[in-house]
């Protein structure tokens, strides 16, 4: 990574361009390693869900409860949509996020992936 930062500084790349180059390199390294592995994984590079913007959502996607100061918005780490606390209290391991169980909605909790 430090070599890419040095090359970026010399080549006039912005910080974001250097970070994207690092991500592309790591993604390609992962895909090559998986192709060479005898145990292939269905999704070698799970993608993080794009989170919905808080300002665009006034009600829970599941139960239609209106958000207030007491009823807060919560993002599902699997699909990225916004739910109330009651509809997103389940926890499940999401491969794109990590190995620890994290907040997911009731819909994603029932899905196999």
């Amino acid at each position: 990574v430090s070599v890419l930062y040095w090359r970026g500084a010399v080549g006039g790349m912005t910080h974001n361009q250097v970070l994207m180059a690092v991500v592309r390199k790591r993604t390609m390294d992962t895909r090559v390693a998986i192709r060479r592995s005898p145990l292939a994984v269905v999704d070698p590079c799970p993608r993080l869900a794009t989170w919905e913007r808080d300002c665009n959502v006034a009600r829970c996607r599941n139960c239609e409860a209106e958000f207030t100061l007491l009823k807060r918005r919560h993002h599902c780490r699997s699909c990225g949509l916004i739910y109330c606390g009651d509809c997103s209290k389940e926890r499940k391991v999401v491969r794109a996020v990590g190995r620890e169980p994290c907040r997911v909605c009731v819909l994603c909790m029932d899905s196999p992936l």
Side-chain angles (χ1 to χ4, degrees), residues 31-88:
R31 289 182 179 164
V32 168
I34 288 173
R35 276 191 217 121
R36 292 180 183 160
S37 170
L39 302 173
V41 179
V42 175
D43 185 10
C45 300
R47 307 289 190 273
L48 285 172
T50 303
W51 279 20
E52 212 171 15
R53 292 180 56 121
D54 289 354
C55 61
N56 294 341
V57 180
R59 297 180 177 276
C60 173
R61 294 286 181 191
N62 188 44
C63 69
E64 295 291 322
E66 188 173 351
F67 295 119
T68 64
L69 288 175
L70 299 177
K71 189 171 265 314
R72 297 182 56 215
R73 295 169 173 86
H74 297 279
H75 285 91
C76 172
R77 302 309 192 267
S78 182
C79 66
L81 298 179
I82 295 178
Y83 296 90
C84 67
D86 293 334
C87 294
S88 65

